[in-house]
Amino acid sequence: STSDDSYSSDEIIFDIDLRSESDSDSGSDSDSDSDSISSFETCTICYEDFPLKTLPTVSSSCAHDPSACKTCLSESLIADQSCKILKFDCPILNCDATLEYADIHRLADKSVFERYDRELSRSFLKTIPNFLFCGASSGCDYGEELQNSATTMSCATCGSVTCVECEVVHEDVTSKEALQQLKQEMKRREKVQNGLKEMQKVVLDVRELAGENRDAIIW
C-alpha cells in the first residue's frame, strides 16, 4: 500500500529544481552585495567613500590605482600652485609623479589652469635675455626687453616700478630684503604643503589600525 506522504518521482525532481533556483538566486544577491561594496573606494585625502568609477587617474606616470576624488585633487592643485606655480606633484602619499599639461587641464579648475597656462607662456618669454615682466602683485602681464644698464622698469600698463635685480615691486625695502621676504614666503608655503601630506599619512595609519571600526573614529 502507498502512504499519503509519498511523492512521485516527478514531484521530487520538481522540488529539487525549485531549491536549486532559490539557492542560485541567493548566491546572486550575495555576489551583488559584494560587488556593490567593492565598487566604492575611500578617498585618501578627505576619507569619504565614492563610487570607484568616479575617481580619476591623477597621471599616467602614477603607479597606484585611482584613490582620490576629483574635488580633493583639484584643491591640491590650488595648494601646489601657491608654492611652485609650474610644477604640480601627485598629492597621493608616497607618489612622486609630476603632472603633465594634459593632467592639469583635466583635473584643475578653470582659474588654476588659466594661471598655469599663462605662467607657462611667461616662462618662455623669460628665456629672452633682459626681458622682464611687471612685478606688481595685481597680476599685470606687461613686459619688455630692457637695456643692459637698466636697474628698474616702469610698467606702461599699471605704472608700477619693478626692480630688475629681484623682479618685484618694492619701495620701503632693499632688493636684498625683498628677496629674503620672498624666500621666507616660499618656505612657509612649502611647509604647509608638506604638512598636509604628513597629516594624510597619520590619518591613514589610524584608519588602518581601526580596521572595520574606522567609521567610528571621531576626528
Short mmCIF file of all heavy atoms in Angstrom, two decimals, residues 124-194:
data_model
loop_
_atom_site.label_atom_id
_atom_site.label_comp_id
_atom_site.label_asym_id
_atom_site.label_seq_id
_atom_site.Cartn_x
_atom_site.Cartn_y
_atom_site.Cartn_z
N PHE A 124 58.44 81.05 -20.98
CA PHE A 124 59.12 81.03 -22.28
C PHE A 124 59.70 82.40 -22.59
O PHE A 124 60.86 82.53 -23.02
CB PHE A 124 58.15 80.61 -23.38
CG PHE A 124 58.71 80.75 -24.77
CD1 PHE A 124 59.65 79.85 -25.25
CD2 PHE A 124 58.33 81.82 -25.58
CE1 PHE A 124 60.19 79.99 -26.52
CE2 PHE A 124 58.87 81.97 -26.85
CZ PHE A 124 59.80 81.05 -27.32
N LEU A 125 58.91 83.46 -22.35
CA LEU A 125 59.39 84.82 -22.64
C LEU A 125 60.57 85.20 -21.74
O LEU A 125 61.44 85.98 -22.14
CB LEU A 125 58.24 85.82 -22.46
CG LEU A 125 57.13 85.75 -23.50
CD1 LEU A 125 55.97 86.66 -23.12
CD2 LEU A 125 57.66 86.14 -24.89
N LYS A 126 60.60 84.64 -20.53
CA LYS A 126 61.69 84.95 -19.60
C LYS A 126 63.04 84.41 -20.07
O LYS A 126 64.08 84.81 -19.55
CB LYS A 126 61.38 84.39 -18.22
CG LYS A 126 60.34 85.20 -17.45
CD LYS A 126 60.07 84.58 -16.08
CE LYS A 126 59.04 85.38 -15.31
NZ LYS A 126 58.73 84.77 -13.99
N THR A 127 63.01 83.51 -21.05
CA THR A 127 64.28 82.98 -21.58
C THR A 127 64.96 83.99 -22.50
O THR A 127 66.13 83.83 -22.85
CB THR A 127 64.04 81.67 -22.36
OG1 THR A 127 63.18 81.91 -23.48
CG2 THR A 127 63.42 80.61 -21.46
N ILE A 128 64.21 85.04 -22.90
CA ILE A 128 64.79 86.10 -23.75
C ILE A 128 65.70 86.97 -22.87
O ILE A 128 65.27 87.46 -21.82
CB ILE A 128 63.68 86.97 -24.37
CG1 ILE A 128 62.75 86.11 -25.23
CG2 ILE A 128 64.29 88.11 -25.19
CD1 ILE A 128 61.55 86.86 -25.76
N PRO A 129 66.94 87.16 -23.24
CA PRO A 129 67.87 87.96 -22.42
C PRO A 129 67.32 89.36 -22.13
O PRO A 129 66.77 90.02 -23.03
CB PRO A 129 69.13 88.05 -23.30
CG PRO A 129 69.05 86.83 -24.17
CD PRO A 129 67.60 86.63 -24.45
N ASN A 130 67.40 89.78 -20.86
CA ASN A 130 66.98 91.12 -20.41
C ASN A 130 65.48 91.36 -20.53
O ASN A 130 65.04 92.52 -20.42
CB ASN A 130 67.73 92.22 -21.19
CG ASN A 130 69.23 92.16 -20.99
OD1 ASN A 130 69.71 91.82 -19.90
ND2 ASN A 130 69.99 92.46 -22.04
N PHE A 131 64.70 90.31 -20.71
CA PHE A 131 63.24 90.50 -20.74
C PHE A 131 62.72 90.45 -19.30
O PHE A 131 63.08 89.58 -18.52
CB PHE A 131 62.56 89.40 -21.56
CG PHE A 131 61.10 89.67 -21.81
CD1 PHE A 131 60.69 90.35 -22.96
CD2 PHE A 131 60.14 89.29 -20.89
CE1 PHE A 131 59.35 90.61 -23.19
CE2 PHE A 131 58.80 89.55 -21.11
CZ PHE A 131 58.39 90.22 -22.26
N LEU A 132 61.87 91.42 -18.96
CA LEU A 132 61.36 91.50 -17.59
C LEU A 132 59.86 91.77 -17.60
O LEU A 132 59.37 92.61 -18.36
CB LEU A 132 62.06 92.62 -16.83
CG LEU A 132 61.67 92.81 -15.36
CD1 LEU A 132 62.14 91.61 -14.53
CD2 LEU A 132 62.25 94.10 -14.81
N PHE A 133 59.13 91.04 -16.75
CA PHE A 133 57.70 91.28 -16.58
C PHE A 133 57.47 92.25 -15.42
O PHE A 133 58.29 92.34 -14.50
CB PHE A 133 56.97 89.97 -16.27
CG PHE A 133 56.65 89.15 -17.48
CD1 PHE A 133 57.39 88.01 -17.77
CD2 PHE A 133 55.61 89.50 -18.33
CE1 PHE A 133 57.09 87.25 -18.88
CE2 PHE A 133 55.31 88.75 -19.44
CZ PHE A 133 56.04 87.61 -19.72
N CYS A 134 56.36 92.93 -15.47
CA CYS A 134 55.96 93.79 -14.36
C CYS A 134 55.81 92.94 -13.10
O CYS A 134 55.20 91.87 -13.13
CB CYS A 134 54.63 94.49 -14.69
SG CYS A 134 53.95 95.45 -13.32
N GLY A 135 56.38 93.41 -11.99
CA GLY A 135 56.36 92.62 -10.76
C GLY A 135 55.21 92.96 -9.84
O GLY A 135 55.19 92.52 -8.68
N ALA A 136 54.23 93.72 -10.31
CA ALA A 136 53.09 94.10 -9.47
C ALA A 136 52.30 92.87 -9.06
O ALA A 136 52.10 91.95 -9.87
CB ALA A 136 52.20 95.09 -10.20
N SER A 137 51.84 92.85 -7.82
CA SER A 137 51.08 91.71 -7.30
C SER A 137 49.69 91.59 -7.90
O SER A 137 49.00 90.60 -7.71
CB SER A 137 50.96 91.82 -5.78
OG SER A 137 50.32 93.03 -5.42
N SER A 138 49.27 92.62 -8.65
CA SER A 138 47.94 92.61 -9.26
C SER A 138 47.83 91.64 -10.43
O SER A 138 46.76 91.40 -10.96
CB SER A 138 47.57 94.03 -9.73
OG SER A 138 48.52 94.49 -10.68
N GLY A 139 48.98 91.09 -10.86
CA GLY A 139 48.95 90.13 -11.96
C GLY A 139 49.06 90.78 -13.32
O GLY A 139 48.61 90.23 -14.33
N CYS A 140 49.67 91.94 -13.37
CA CYS A 140 49.85 92.66 -14.64
C CYS A 140 50.74 91.82 -15.56
O CYS A 140 51.75 91.26 -15.14
CB CYS A 140 50.48 94.02 -14.37
SG CYS A 140 50.81 94.99 -15.85
N ASP A 141 50.39 91.75 -16.84
CA ASP A 141 51.13 90.93 -17.79
C ASP A 141 52.09 91.73 -18.67
O ASP A 141 52.65 91.20 -19.64
CB ASP A 141 50.17 90.15 -18.69
CG ASP A 141 49.60 88.92 -18.00
OD1 ASP A 141 50.33 88.31 -17.19
OD2 ASP A 141 48.43 88.58 -18.24
N TYR A 142 52.28 92.99 -18.35
CA TYR A 142 53.18 93.81 -19.16
C TYR A 142 54.63 93.34 -18.99
O TYR A 142 55.06 92.97 -17.90
CB TYR A 142 53.08 95.29 -18.76
CG TYR A 142 54.03 96.19 -19.53
CD1 TYR A 142 53.72 96.62 -20.81
CD2 TYR A 142 55.26 96.56 -18.98
CE1 TYR A 142 54.61 97.42 -21.52
CE2 TYR A 142 56.16 97.36 -19.68
CZ TYR A 142 55.82 97.78 -20.95
OH TYR A 142 56.69 98.57 -21.67
N GLY A 143 55.38 93.39 -20.08
CA GLY A 143 56.79 93.04 -20.03
C GLY A 143 57.52 93.66 -21.20
O GLY A 143 56.91 94.00 -22.21
N GLU A 144 58.80 93.82 -21.05
CA GLU A 144 59.60 94.38 -22.15
C GLU A 144 61.05 93.95 -22.04
O GLU A 144 61.52 93.52 -20.97
CB GLU A 144 59.51 95.91 -22.15
CG GLU A 144 60.13 96.58 -20.95
CD GLU A 144 60.09 98.09 -21.07
OE1 GLU A 144 59.02 98.69 -20.82
OE2 GLU A 144 61.16 98.66 -21.40
N GLU A 145 61.77 94.08 -23.15
CA GLU A 145 63.20 93.75 -23.18
C GLU A 145 63.97 95.01 -22.84
O GLU A 145 63.83 96.05 -23.50
CB GLU A 145 63.58 93.24 -24.57
CG GLU A 145 64.97 92.64 -24.65
CD GLU A 145 65.25 92.02 -26.01
OE1 GLU A 145 64.31 91.94 -26.82
OE2 GLU A 145 66.40 91.60 -26.24
N LEU A 146 64.78 94.96 -21.78
CA LEU A 146 65.46 96.14 -21.26
C LEU A 146 66.90 96.26 -21.74
O LEU A 146 67.49 95.29 -22.22
CB LEU A 146 65.45 96.09 -19.72
CG LEU A 146 64.08 95.97 -19.04
CD1 LEU A 146 64.27 95.75 -17.54
CD2 LEU A 146 63.23 97.20 -19.30
N GLN A 147 67.43 97.45 -21.58
CA GLN A 147 68.85 97.67 -21.85
C GLN A 147 69.67 97.03 -20.73
O GLN A 147 69.20 96.88 -19.59
CB GLN A 147 69.15 99.17 -21.92
CG GLN A 147 68.41 99.92 -23.03
CD GLN A 147 68.84 99.47 -24.41
OE1 GLN A 147 70.02 99.15 -24.63
NE2 GLN A 147 67.91 99.42 -25.35
N ASN A 148 70.90 96.68 -21.02
CA ASN A 148 71.76 96.02 -20.02
C ASN A 148 71.96 96.86 -18.77
O ASN A 148 72.14 96.32 -17.68
CB ASN A 148 73.12 95.69 -20.64
CG ASN A 148 73.02 94.56 -21.65
OD1 ASN A 148 72.17 93.69 -21.54
ND2 ASN A 148 73.90 94.56 -22.64
N SER A 149 71.93 98.17 -18.92
CA SER A 149 72.22 99.06 -17.79
C SER A 149 71.00 99.36 -16.92
O SER A 149 71.12 100.00 -15.87
CB SER A 149 72.79 100.39 -18.31
OG SER A 149 71.86 101.02 -19.20
N ALA A 150 69.83 98.89 -17.31
CA ALA A 150 68.60 99.22 -16.59
C ALA A 150 68.58 98.57 -15.20
O ALA A 150 68.98 97.42 -15.04
CB ALA A 150 67.39 98.77 -17.38
N THR A 151 68.14 99.34 -14.20
CA THR A 151 68.00 98.81 -12.84
C THR A 151 66.54 98.69 -12.41
O THR A 151 66.23 97.96 -11.47
CB THR A 151 68.74 99.70 -11.82
OG1 THR A 151 68.20 101.04 -11.91
CG2 THR A 151 70.23 99.73 -12.12
N THR A 152 65.67 99.40 -13.09
CA THR A 152 64.22 99.33 -12.83
C THR A 152 63.47 99.38 -14.15
O THR A 152 64.03 99.77 -15.20
CB THR A 152 63.74 100.50 -11.94
OG1 THR A 152 64.00 101.74 -12.61
CG2 THR A 152 64.42 100.47 -10.59
N MET A 153 62.20 98.98 -14.09
CA MET A 153 61.34 99.07 -15.27
C MET A 153 60.00 99.69 -14.85
O MET A 153 59.36 99.23 -13.91
CB MET A 153 61.07 97.69 -15.87
CG MET A 153 60.16 97.73 -17.10
SD MET A 153 59.63 96.09 -17.63
CE MET A 153 58.39 95.70 -16.37
N SER A 154 59.61 100.74 -15.55
CA SER A 154 58.31 101.38 -15.30
C SER A 154 57.27 100.74 -16.20
O SER A 154 57.42 100.73 -17.44
CB SER A 154 58.39 102.88 -15.57
OG SER A 154 59.28 103.51 -14.67
N CYS A 155 56.24 100.17 -15.60
CA CYS A 155 55.21 99.47 -16.36
C CYS A 155 54.35 100.45 -17.15
O CYS A 155 53.81 101.42 -16.59
CB CYS A 155 54.33 98.65 -15.41
SG CYS A 155 53.01 97.74 -16.24
N ALA A 156 54.20 100.20 -18.44
CA ALA A 156 53.40 101.07 -19.30
C ALA A 156 51.90 100.80 -19.13
O ALA A 156 51.08 101.56 -19.63
CB ALA A 156 53.80 100.85 -20.76
N THR A 157 51.56 99.73 -18.41
CA THR A 157 50.15 99.39 -18.22
C THR A 157 49.62 99.88 -16.88
O THR A 157 48.58 100.56 -16.82
CB THR A 157 49.94 97.86 -18.31
OG1 THR A 157 50.36 97.41 -19.60
CG2 THR A 157 48.47 97.49 -18.11
N CYS A 158 50.32 99.54 -15.79
CA CYS A 158 49.81 99.90 -14.46
C CYS A 158 50.63 100.96 -13.74
O CYS A 158 50.23 101.45 -12.68
CB CYS A 158 49.68 98.66 -13.57
SG CYS A 158 51.27 97.94 -13.07
N GLY A 159 51.80 101.30 -14.31
CA GLY A 159 52.61 102.36 -13.71
C GLY A 159 53.54 101.91 -12.60
O GLY A 159 54.30 102.72 -12.06
N SER A 160 53.52 100.63 -12.22
CA SER A 160 54.39 100.14 -11.15
C SER A 160 55.85 100.12 -11.59
O SER A 160 56.16 99.96 -12.77
CB SER A 160 53.98 98.72 -10.74
OG SER A 160 52.66 98.69 -10.26
N VAL A 161 56.75 100.29 -10.63
CA VAL A 161 58.19 100.27 -10.92
C VAL A 161 58.76 98.97 -10.37
O VAL A 161 58.75 98.72 -9.16
CB VAL A 161 58.91 101.47 -10.29
CG1 VAL A 161 60.41 101.39 -10.57
CG2 VAL A 161 58.34 102.78 -10.82
N THR A 162 59.27 98.14 -11.26
CA THR A 162 59.80 96.83 -10.89
C THR A 162 61.31 96.86 -10.81
O THR A 162 61.98 97.39 -11.70
CB THR A 162 59.37 95.76 -11.91
OG1 THR A 162 57.95 95.70 -11.98
CG2 THR A 162 59.91 94.39 -11.54
N CYS A 163 61.84 96.29 -9.74
CA CYS A 163 63.29 96.19 -9.57
C CYS A 163 63.82 95.08 -10.47
O CYS A 163 63.31 93.96 -10.47
CB CYS A 163 63.60 95.89 -8.11
SG CYS A 163 65.35 95.54 -7.79
N VAL A 164 64.84 95.38 -11.24
CA VAL A 164 65.42 94.39 -12.17
C VAL A 164 66.10 93.26 -11.41
O VAL A 164 66.02 92.09 -11.79
CB VAL A 164 66.41 95.06 -13.13
CG1 VAL A 164 67.15 94.02 -13.97
CG2 VAL A 164 65.69 96.04 -14.04
N GLU A 165 66.75 93.58 -10.29
CA GLU A 165 67.52 92.58 -9.54
C GLU A 165 66.64 91.49 -8.94
O GLU A 165 66.94 90.31 -9.04
CB GLU A 165 68.33 93.25 -8.43
CG GLU A 165 69.20 92.28 -7.66
CD GLU A 165 69.99 92.96 -6.56
OE1 GLU A 165 69.99 94.20 -6.49
OE2 GLU A 165 70.63 92.24 -5.76
N CYS A 166 65.53 91.90 -8.30
CA CYS A 166 64.68 90.90 -7.63
C CYS A 166 63.35 90.66 -8.33
O CYS A 166 62.55 89.82 -7.90
CB CYS A 166 64.44 91.27 -6.17
SG CYS A 166 63.74 92.91 -5.94
N GLU A 167 63.07 91.42 -9.39
CA GLU A 167 61.89 91.23 -10.23
C GLU A 167 60.56 91.43 -9.49
O GLU A 167 59.56 90.83 -9.85
CB GLU A 167 61.92 89.85 -10.90
CG GLU A 167 63.14 89.65 -11.79
CD GLU A 167 63.09 88.32 -12.54
OE1 GLU A 167 62.07 87.61 -12.44
OE2 GLU A 167 64.08 88.00 -13.22
N VAL A 168 60.56 92.23 -8.46
CA VAL A 168 59.33 92.57 -7.74
C VAL A 168 59.25 94.07 -7.54
O VAL A 168 60.25 94.79 -7.70
CB VAL A 168 59.23 91.86 -6.36
CG1 VAL A 168 59.18 90.36 -6.53
CG2 VAL A 168 60.38 92.28 -5.47
N VAL A 169 58.06 94.54 -7.17
CA VAL A 169 57.86 95.95 -6.86
C VAL A 169 58.09 96.14 -5.36
O VAL A 169 57.42 95.50 -4.55
CB VAL A 169 56.44 96.40 -7.24
CG1 VAL A 169 56.22 97.85 -6.81
CG2 VAL A 169 56.21 96.25 -8.74
N HIS A 170 59.05 96.98 -4.99
CA HIS A 170 59.27 97.26 -3.57
C HIS A 170 59.76 98.70 -3.43
O HIS A 170 60.57 99.18 -4.21
CB HIS A 170 60.27 96.28 -2.96
CG HIS A 170 61.63 96.30 -3.60
ND1 HIS A 170 62.62 97.19 -3.25
CD2 HIS A 170 62.14 95.53 -4.60
CE1 HIS A 170 63.69 96.96 -3.98
NE2 HIS A 170 63.43 95.97 -4.82
N GLU A 171 59.25 99.37 -2.41
CA GLU A 171 59.59 100.78 -2.21
C GLU A 171 60.28 101.02 -0.87
O GLU A 171 61.20 101.84 -0.77
CB GLU A 171 58.33 101.64 -2.29
CG GLU A 171 57.64 101.57 -3.65
CD GLU A 171 56.35 102.36 -3.68
OE1 GLU A 171 55.97 102.88 -2.61
OE2 GLU A 171 55.72 102.46 -4.75
N ASP A 172 59.84 100.31 0.17
CA ASP A 172 60.33 100.58 1.52
C ASP A 172 61.44 99.65 1.97
O ASP A 172 61.92 99.75 3.10
CB ASP A 172 59.17 100.50 2.53
CG ASP A 172 58.06 101.48 2.18
OD1 ASP A 172 58.39 102.57 1.67
OD2 ASP A 172 56.88 101.16 2.40
N VAL A 173 61.84 98.71 1.13
CA VAL A 173 62.91 97.77 1.49
C VAL A 173 63.92 97.68 0.37
O VAL A 173 63.64 98.04 -0.77
CB VAL A 173 62.34 96.36 1.78
CG1 VAL A 173 61.43 96.37 2.99
CG2 VAL A 173 61.60 95.81 0.55
N THR A 174 65.11 97.17 0.70
CA THR A 174 66.14 96.99 -0.32
C THR A 174 65.86 95.72 -1.12
O THR A 174 65.03 94.90 -0.75
CB THR A 174 67.53 96.87 0.34
OG1 THR A 174 67.55 95.68 1.14
CG2 THR A 174 67.83 98.07 1.21
N SER A 175 66.60 95.58 -2.22
CA SER A 175 66.44 94.38 -3.05
C SER A 175 66.76 93.12 -2.26
O SER A 175 66.07 92.09 -2.37
CB SER A 175 67.35 94.46 -4.28
OG SER A 175 66.97 95.51 -5.11
N LYS A 176 67.80 93.19 -1.43
CA LYS A 176 68.19 92.04 -0.62
C LYS A 176 67.09 91.65 0.35
O LYS A 176 66.76 90.47 0.53
CB LYS A 176 69.48 92.36 0.15
CG LYS A 176 70.02 91.19 0.95
CD LYS A 176 71.33 91.56 1.63
CE LYS A 176 71.88 90.38 2.44
NZ LYS A 176 73.17 90.72 3.10
N GLU A 177 66.48 92.64 0.99
CA GLU A 177 65.40 92.39 1.94
C GLU A 177 64.17 91.83 1.23
O GLU A 177 63.49 90.93 1.74
CB GLU A 177 65.04 93.67 2.69
CG GLU A 177 66.13 94.13 3.66
CD GLU A 177 65.86 95.51 4.22
OE1 GLU A 177 65.18 96.31 3.53
OE2 GLU A 177 66.32 95.80 5.34
N ALA A 178 63.87 92.35 0.04
CA ALA A 178 62.72 91.88 -0.73
C ALA A 178 62.89 90.41 -1.13
O ALA A 178 61.96 89.61 -1.05
CB ALA A 178 62.52 92.74 -1.96
N LEU A 179 64.11 90.06 -1.55
CA LEU A 179 64.40 88.67 -1.93
C LEU A 179 64.28 87.74 -0.73
O LEU A 179 63.78 86.62 -0.84
CB LEU A 179 65.80 88.57 -2.54
CG LEU A 179 65.96 89.08 -3.97
CD1 LEU A 179 67.43 89.12 -4.36
CD2 LEU A 179 65.17 88.21 -4.94
N GLN A 180 64.75 88.22 0.43
CA GLN A 180 64.67 87.42 1.65
C GLN A 180 63.22 87.16 2.03
O GLN A 180 62.85 86.05 2.45
CB GLN A 180 65.40 88.13 2.79
CG GLN A 180 65.50 87.33 4.08
CD GLN A 180 66.31 86.06 3.92
OE1 GLN A 180 67.20 85.99 3.08
NE2 GLN A 180 65.99 85.04 4.70
N GLN A 181 62.37 88.16 1.89
CA GLN A 181 60.94 88.02 2.19
C GLN A 181 60.29 87.01 1.26
O GLN A 181 59.46 86.20 1.68
CB GLN A 181 60.24 89.37 2.08
CG GLN A 181 60.61 90.35 3.18
CD GLN A 181 60.01 91.73 2.97
OE1 GLN A 181 59.30 91.97 1.99
NE2 GLN A 181 60.28 92.64 3.90
N LEU A 182 60.69 87.05 -0.02
CA LEU A 182 60.14 86.09 -0.99
C LEU A 182 60.54 84.66 -0.63
O LEU A 182 59.72 83.74 -0.69
CB LEU A 182 60.66 86.42 -2.40
CG LEU A 182 59.96 87.55 -3.15
CD1 LEU A 182 60.67 87.81 -4.47
CD2 LEU A 182 58.49 87.21 -3.41
N LYS A 183 61.79 84.47 -0.26
CA LYS A 183 62.27 83.14 0.12
C LYS A 183 61.54 82.61 1.34
O LYS A 183 61.17 81.43 1.41
CB LYS A 183 63.78 83.17 0.38
CG LYS A 183 64.62 83.36 -0.88
CD LYS A 183 66.10 83.43 -0.53
CE LYS A 183 66.95 83.63 -1.78
NZ LYS A 183 68.40 83.74 -1.44
N GLN A 184 61.32 83.47 2.32
CA GLN A 184 60.61 83.07 3.54
C GLN A 184 59.18 82.66 3.24
O GLN A 184 58.67 81.69 3.80
CB GLN A 184 60.65 84.21 4.56
CG GLN A 184 62.02 84.46 5.16
CD GLN A 184 62.05 85.66 6.08
OE1 GLN A 184 61.10 86.44 6.13
NE2 GLN A 184 63.13 85.81 6.83
N GLU A 185 58.54 83.40 2.34
CA GLU A 185 57.15 83.09 1.99
C GLU A 185 57.07 81.76 1.25
O GLU A 185 56.16 80.96 1.49
CB GLU A 185 56.57 84.22 1.12
CG GLU A 185 55.15 83.98 0.62
CD GLU A 185 54.13 83.82 1.72
OE1 GLU A 185 54.41 84.19 2.89
OE2 GLU A 185 53.02 83.31 1.43
N MET A 186 58.01 81.50 0.35
CA MET A 186 58.02 80.24 -0.38
C MET A 186 58.26 79.06 0.56
O MET A 186 57.65 78.00 0.42
CB MET A 186 59.08 80.27 -1.48
CG MET A 186 58.80 81.27 -2.59
SD MET A 186 57.17 81.04 -3.37
CE MET A 186 57.41 79.50 -4.21
N LYS A 187 59.13 79.24 1.54
CA LYS A 187 59.39 78.19 2.52
C LYS A 187 58.14 77.91 3.35
O LYS A 187 57.83 76.76 3.68
CB LYS A 187 60.55 78.58 3.43
CG LYS A 187 61.92 78.47 2.77
CD LYS A 187 63.02 78.84 3.76
CE LYS A 187 64.39 78.69 3.13
NZ LYS A 187 65.48 79.07 4.07
N ARG A 188 57.43 78.99 3.72
CA ARG A 188 56.21 78.83 4.51
C ARG A 188 55.17 78.03 3.74
O ARG A 188 54.52 77.12 4.27
CB ARG A 188 55.65 80.20 4.89
CG ARG A 188 54.43 80.16 5.81
CD ARG A 188 53.74 81.49 5.89
NE ARG A 188 53.10 81.84 4.63
CZ ARG A 188 51.92 81.35 4.24
NH1 ARG A 188 51.27 80.48 4.99
NH2 ARG A 188 51.40 81.73 3.08
N ARG A 189 55.01 78.36 2.47
CA ARG A 189 54.01 77.66 1.65
C ARG A 189 54.38 76.19 1.45
O ARG A 189 53.52 75.32 1.45
CB ARG A 189 53.87 78.36 0.29
CG ARG A 189 53.28 79.77 0.38
CD ARG A 189 53.17 80.41 -0.98
NE ARG A 189 52.58 81.74 -0.91
CZ ARG A 189 52.36 82.51 -1.97
NH1 ARG A 189 52.70 82.09 -3.19
NH2 ARG A 189 51.82 83.70 -1.82
N GLU A 190 55.67 75.94 1.26
CA GLU A 190 56.13 74.56 1.08
C GLU A 190 55.93 73.75 2.36
O GLU A 190 55.57 72.57 2.32
CB GLU A 190 57.60 74.55 0.68
CG GLU A 190 58.10 73.17 0.29
CD GLU A 190 59.51 73.21 -0.27
OE1 GLU A 190 60.05 74.31 -0.47
OE2 GLU A 190 60.07 72.12 -0.52
N LYS A 191 56.13 74.40 3.50
CA LYS A 191 55.93 73.74 4.80
C LYS A 191 54.46 73.35 4.98
O LYS A 191 54.15 72.26 5.49
CB LYS A 191 56.37 74.66 5.92
CG LYS A 191 56.36 74.02 7.29
CD LYS A 191 56.91 74.97 8.35
CE LYS A 191 56.91 74.31 9.73
NZ LYS A 191 57.44 75.22 10.77
N VAL A 192 53.56 74.22 4.57
CA VAL A 192 52.12 73.93 4.65
C VAL A 192 51.78 72.72 3.79
O VAL A 192 51.05 71.81 4.20
CB VAL A 192 51.29 75.15 4.21
CG1 VAL A 192 49.82 74.77 4.05
CG2 VAL A 192 51.43 76.27 5.22
N GLN A 193 52.33 72.69 2.57
CA GLN A 193 52.05 71.58 1.65
C GLN A 193 52.59 70.26 2.20
O GLN A 193 51.92 69.23 2.14
CB GLN A 193 52.69 71.89 0.29
CG GLN A 193 52.35 70.86 -0.80
CD GLN A 193 50.91 70.96 -1.25
OE1 GLN A 193 50.15 71.76 -0.73
NE2 GLN A 193 50.53 70.12 -2.17
N ASN A 194 53.80 70.29 2.76
CA ASN A 194 54.38 69.07 3.35
C ASN A 194 53.58 68.62 4.56
O ASN A 194 53.43 67.42 4.82
CB ASN A 194 55.83 69.31 3.75
CG ASN A 194 56.74 69.49 2.55
OD1 ASN A 194 56.43 69.02 1.45
ND2 ASN A 194 57.87 70.16 2.73
#
